[in-house]
Amino acid sequence: SIAYYETGKYDEGLTNMNIFFEKNKTEKFIAKDYEYLGRLQLKKENLTEAQKNIDQAVALDSTSAIAYDDLAKYYFSKDQYE
């Protein structure tokens, strides 16, 4: 799904990530899994789900600058940047 995100194929990436999340156990997911799902959701303007998944990515890896950048994009899109 990283490749789908990087090449702008957001619909295909979301489809694959959704299948991945449905077929695997939650305890096996890593921060990057949630991060890329959230990033794809941001691109498709599914903001509520994007925030939930990016928050989970940060919870799993609080050192991820990309996840914090994605959260900033989410809050900016909601005009919540004060």
Side-chain angles (χ1 to χ4, degrees):
S1 290
I2 294 170
Y4 288 119
Y5 179 83
E6 298 296 333
T7 59
K9 296 179 180 177
Y10 308 125
D11 290 323
E12 293 94 332
L14 273 175
T15 298
N16 283 330
M17 287 301 287
N18 288 329
I19 291 168
F20 171 77
F21 272 84
E22 288 171 11
K23 292 188 177 201
N24 292 287
K25 296 182 182 196
T26 305
E27 63 270 7
K28 292 188 176 189
F29 300 148
I30 61 172
K32 287 285 184 198
D33 297 331
Y34 290 103
E35 182 182 305
Y36 271 94
L37 178 58
R39 293 180 93 189
L40 288 162
Q41 290 166 328
L42 275 176
K43 290 293 187 179
K44 296 303 292 178
E45 298 184 13
N46 186 348
L47 301 180
T48 302
E49 290 299 310
Q51 183 210 6
K52 181 178 85 172
N53 287 303
I54 296 167
D55 281 342
Q56 183 64 29
V58 169
L60 291 172
D61 180 6
S62 63
T63 66
S64 174
I66 293 171
Y68 282 109
D69 182 60
D70 290 334
L71 274 179
K73 290 175 187 170
Y74 164 78
Y75 286 115
F76 186 79
S77 74
K78 303 284 281 181
D79 292 329
Q80 297 177 349
Y81 41 82
E82 289 187 31

